[in-house]
Amino acid sequence: MRVMSLELNELNFHYVKAYAAKGVLPNFARLLAERDLVETDAGEVYPQLEPWIQWPTVYTGKTYTEHDIFRLGDIMYKDQPQIWDYLEQRGVSVGAISPMNASNRCENPAFFLPDPWTHAKIVAEPRAAKLFGLLGKIVNENASSDASVASFAWQILPLALPYLSSRSIAGYFKILPMAMRYKWAKAAFLDRLLGDLFVSLWQKQKPGFSSLFLNAGAHIQHHHTYDSAAYDGAKANPVWYSKAAETDVDPLLFIYQVYDEMVAEFMALKDMHLFITTGLSQVPNERDHYQYRIVDFEGFFAKVGLTGATIRPRMSRDFLLEFANAESAQAALPVLDKVRVGGKPLFKIEERGETLFCQVGYFGKPEGLKELSVDGVQGDFSSAFVLVSIENAIHQATGYHIDTLAPKGGAQRIPLTEVFNRLCTAAMASGTVKQAA
């Protein structure tokens, strides 16, 4: 048996169970009836409850204190063994698609396609590498781009066709009409495509251990929990932000149904031992919290007067500024400090020698950006930013883990670090270990 780790980032299985009980998630319902839904405990508090911290915990078997990986992309600067190189060194062939905050230190992986924000080495056949590069560009530009589904599907289709199956094509016919109406549904299209890419590469290479990271569930929960039938609180998204509620569409149910079909497809693969892990999960956010991203980084910082920096956009409101030396990074601090909104600095900055890790630190309503000032000169900069989300849900330390072959009756709650041990034990016992010459 070949082990697959399906990483459904932050998926709210407490909501999945409720929908499954209503008969609208038949594959999840069957799985939950036959197998244990084990809770994982990250054992952390804010600000350590971030996916780019907790997925390295899964990949290394270490807590945050032990692995010391705090920001997205930090793995590139840390000498931390991860599950793929750990297993490869023990004779297990490995593969990965989009693992969050993971580097590729493998000698000869079957395939390794890093997440869109971590500049790790890509290993894949040329078509897959080109397709993945295009998907990464779309992910990074999604918040600030109004590109239609038709436009990006036109770019993707010629590269993607060889990876589609007759079974998965039916899924796209369900997703595309929604993605044409709702921006948030584009994420489901991308996850569906990553699933097809994974299956195709897996069937060609059959690695002993492989992983697939999917983020649409986390993305949609963060943006649209208030629009869901699973939410019973008093908050609601304004109509200008989300038309889902007024059109009687449930975004959470939509992405859960996409995953419901994908899980069934993975479980149907011959010789597959599937594990499902969420890392964290989310709970409703009962306070107003707006998040913004710069639309045009180069253009914005040219206006601000920042020079000599290489800009590395990260997820959501985050970005990294790289300088030639620490002195140049220090010189940039007063320039950034002069960008203010409501009299307070716009950016939260973490000094890291030759780099500055920055976040847009304004969380108020959009009209506040009309009074942004640069070096004391006030102006309307609202068009320079795009609203990433009204944060409908926030992280909690509880996650979920399912071994799709283990009988019921096992542990009901485990430390998140234990997932690493479970995956490695299964991979080493799978019969795919190559004996050393």
Side-chain angles (χ1 to χ4, degrees):
M1 298 292 284
R2 299 172 189 277
V3 174
M4 175 189 176
S5 175
L6 175 60
E7 300 163 1
L8 299 179
N9 188 33
E10 300 171 21
L11 204 70
N12 285 348
F13 262 93
H14 48 302
Y15 291 165
V16 171
K17 288 173 67 176
Y19 285 120
K22 297 178 181 179
V24 290
L25 299 175
N27 299 304
F28 275 128
R30 184 167 57 254
L31 180 60
L32 294 172
E34 296 174 354
R35 308 298 175 197
D36 285 324
L37 178 63
V38 179
E39 291 188 354
T40 60
D41 182 5
E44 309 281 6
V45 296
Y46 277 100
Q48 285 79 44
L49 288 180
E50 296 288 359
W52 44 85
I53 296 174
Q54 297 311 320
W55 283 109
T57 290
V58 174
Y59 302 151
T60 64
K62 299 177 180 180
T63 64
Y64 162 67
T65 302
E66 294 168 327
H67 63 60
D68 193 34
I69 298 167
F70 188 65
R71 297 295 188 190
L72 189 55
D74 274 5
I75 186 63
M76 301 302 293
Y77 311 102
K78 303 287 185 178
D79 186 18
Q80 288 286 359
Q82 304 155 106
I83 191 166
W84 307 277
D85 38 291
Y86 175 88
L87 288 171
E88 186 185 58
Q89 291 168 8
R90 287 157 178 79
V92 179
S93 59
V94 297
I97 289 185
S98 200
M100 175 167 271
N101 211 1
S103 60
N104 178 7
R105 296 191 176 98
C106 301
E107 292 186 5
N108 187 30
F111 50 87
F112 200 107
L113 296 161
D115 73 46
W117 312 280
T118 304
H119 301 287
K121 180 175 63 176
I122 291 176
V123 176
E125 61 190 42
R127 177 183 287 272
K130 188 173 181 179
L131 173 61
F132 196 75
L134 179 57
L135 294 178
K137 182 180 179 183
I138 290 170
V139 168
N140 273 305
E141 294 179 353
N142 183 55
S144 56
S145 172
D146 292 324
S148 68
V149 172
S151 67
F152 77 71
W154 180 254
Q155 300 175 66
I156 290 171
L157 190 59
L159 292 170
L161 272 176
Y163 302 113
L164 307 186
S165 68
S166 57
R167 184 171 181 176
S168 70
I169 286 174
Y172 290 104
F173 281 110
K174 296 177 183 178
I175 294 170
L176 283 172
M178 292 290 288
M180 293 175 71
R181 295 180 64 190
Y182 304 102
K183 186 175 181 178
W184 50 263
K186 291 182 185 179
F189 178 91
L190 295 174
D191 270 9
R192 173 73 263 189
L193 187 52
L194 287 179
D196 283 339
L197 179 60
F198 175 88
V199 170
S200 179
L201 296 179
W202 183 88
Q203 288 178 326
K204 292 176 184 177
Q205 303 286 343
K206 293 291 182 72
F209 173 80
S210 54
S211 63
L212 170 64
F213 178 90
L214 299 177
N215 194 54
H219 173 83
I220 292 172
Q221 288 171 174
H222 275 309
H223 289 63
H224 293 283
T225 288
Y226 300 159
D227 299 324
S228 168
Y231 172 65
D232 58 6
K235 302 287 288 185
N237 286 316
V239 175
W240 58 261
Y241 172 80
S242 171
K243 294 181 172 56
E246 71 172 11
T247 53
D248 201 28
V249 169
D250 187 331
L252 269 60
L253 176 58
F254 170 75
I255 187 58
Y256 294 170
Q257 287 179 320
V258 172
Y259 286 164
D260 187 73
E261 293 183 1
M262 292 177 69
V263 165
E265 292 172 23
F266 294 139
M267 292 182 66
L269 291 172
K270 186 179 179 181
D271 198 29
M272 172 72 81
H273 184 177
L274 179 67
F275 290 81
I276 302 172
T277 306
T278 72
L280 302 169
S281 61
Q282 300 176 17
V283 292
N285 182 13
E286 299 302 340
R287 64 188 180 93
D288 291 337
H289 189 95
Y290 295 71
Q291 294 202 80
Y292 301 91
R293 184 178 180 88
I294 297 171
V295 176
D296 175 8
F297 284 91
E298 300 287 349
F300 179 81
F301 285 114
K303 291 180 180 178
V304 168
L306 182 73
T307 59
T310 299
I311 305 167
R312 305 282 189 193
R314 298 292 195 233
M315 254 183 141
S316 186
R317 61 196 177 96
D318 304 346
F319 58 95
L320 186 74
L321 299 177
E322 295 179 344
F323 297 87
N325 49 55
E327 291 74 19
S328 297
Q330 285 294 310
L333 290 173
V335 178
L336 295 170
D337 186 65
K338 292 177 181 178
V339 184
R340 295 182 166 248
V341 60
K344 298 179 181 179
L346 175 66
F347 300 115
K348 292 185 176 181
I349 303 171
E350 183 180 314
E351 299 177 41
R352 307 177 126 197
E354 297 176 357
T355 66
L356 302 175
F357 188 93
C358 307
Q359 299 173 305
V360 176
Y362 174 69
F363 304 111
K365 293 185 176 180
E367 48 264 33
L369 294 170
K370 294 181 179 181
E371 300 178 358
L372 187 145
S373 65
V374 178
D375 201 11
V377 179
Q378 187 170 302
D380 182 354
F381 280 79
S382 56
S383 62
F385 298 85
V386 61
L387 178 68
V388 176
S389 71
I390 299 176
E391 201 75 347
N392 285 202
I394 57 177
H395 301 135
Q396 66 170 347
T398 296
Y400 300 94
H401 178 73
I402 303 173
D403 180 342
T404 64
L405 293 184
K408 289 180 74 73
Q412 298 302 299
R413 190 172 178 87
I414 59 174
L416 185 59
T417 52
E418 177 61 22
V419 173
F420 173 89
N421 296 327
R422 290 185 169 211
L423 294 174
C424 288
T425 298
M428 292 297 293
S430 64
T432 63
V433 180
K434 298 177 183 178
Q435 297 300 318

